């Protein structure tokens, strides 16, 4: 779950920041062409999902350590 969260976070933030440098992920360009826009919302949603997955992983790891002691 942690690895998937990191991947989503990198893709979401990267797709949000890269156009500022004149670069972009092709995946989100295709998403925009198919659905007629909304790439920004998809990027933000993907980054948020990644952050939530990482948070869940950290919360579970902290809970597991406290139950062992």
């Amino acid at each position: 779950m942690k690895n998937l969260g990191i991947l989503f976070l990198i893709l979401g933030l990267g797709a949000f920041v890269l156009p500022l440098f004149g670069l972009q992920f092709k995946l989100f360009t295709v998403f925009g062409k198919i659905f007629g826009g909304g790439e920004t919302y998809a990027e933000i949603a993907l980054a948020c999902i990644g952050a939530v997955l990482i948070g869940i992983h950290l919360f579970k790891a902290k809970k597991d350590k406290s139950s062992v002691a």
Side-chain angles (χ1 to χ4, degrees):
M1 186 170 2
K2 179 183 75 168
N3 293 336
L4 187 61
I6 291 171
L7 177 68
F8 282 176
L9 190 62
I10 289 172
L11 282 175
L13 292 178
F16 193 70
V17 173
L18 281 176
L20 299 174
F21 299 105
L23 303 168
Q24 60 187 358
F25 289 133
K26 297 294 182 185
L27 175 67
F28 291 103
T29 305
V30 171
F31 180 81
K33 288 180 182 177
I34 291 173
F35 295 107
E39 303 97 10
T40 306
Y41 298 119
E43 296 162 2
I44 292 171
L46 197 60
C48 289
I49 290 169
V52 167
L53 288 174
I54 292 171
I56 289 170
H57 173 75
L58 293 175
F59 181 73
K60 280 187 171 182
K62 185 177 180 181
K63 187 176 178 182
D64 289 343
K65 286 182 182 179
S66 66
S67 66
V68 171

